[in-house]
Amino acid sequence: DFGDLTVGCYSPAGLSSETRGVIFGGTIASNTINNIEYITIDTTGNATDFGDLSSIRSGMTGGLTNNTRGVMAGGSSASGRSNVIEYITIDTTGNATDFGDITLARSAAGGVSG
């Protein structure tokens, strides 16, 4: 057992740097949430609140990162699929910031980075 999330949910998404794992979005019962939380990979323990997504959504299959910035896109909420792209700075906590829009709203967007 590594620890517990701050909010128990299903369908969250994640991304990571060399030191932090970041978990965002998800669904509780039938309500989507906008939370972002993180763990420190080298130590066990519960997740810590990071901030909030700019919009409430779940179903995002993943994000991408360059170890400094984490970017997440797409997802779904009660109002439908999302075209939102937003980012966080992984080493500092805070809310996600708008990064633009994907060309087509998607409920499950994947990401890769090199």
Side-chain angles (χ1 to χ4, degrees):
D1 185 11
F2 189 95
D4 297 319
L5 297 174
T6 61
V7 177
C9 64
Y10 63 92
S11 287
L15 53 86
S16 67
S17 69
E18 293 178 358
T19 57
R20 277 190 176 170
V22 180
I23 303 98
F24 50 93
T27 303
I28 300 173
S30 60
N31 300 311
T32 52
I33 57 176
N34 70 339
N35 71 305
I36 307 171
E37 49 195 280
Y38 73 95
I39 56 158
T40 303
I41 294 171
D42 287 346
T43 62
T44 58
N46 294 333
T48 302
D49 183 53
F50 188 99
D52 293 322
L53 295 169
S54 63
S55 61
I56 297 171
R57 58 195 202 277
S58 70
M60 299 169 284
T61 58
L64 56 106
T65 180
N66 66 359
N67 282 326
T68 302
R69 183 177 276 189
V71 179
M72 47 284 244
S76 60
S77 67
S79 60
R81 295 179 177 153
S82 173
N83 69 341
V84 174
I85 305 171
E86 53 193 324
Y87 75 91
I88 56 169
T89 303
I90 296 174
D91 288 340
T92 61
T93 58
N95 294 335
T97 302
D98 184 48
F99 193 76
D101 295 327
I102 53 179
T103 57
L104 182 64
R106 300 189 183 275
S107 60
V112 296
S113 57

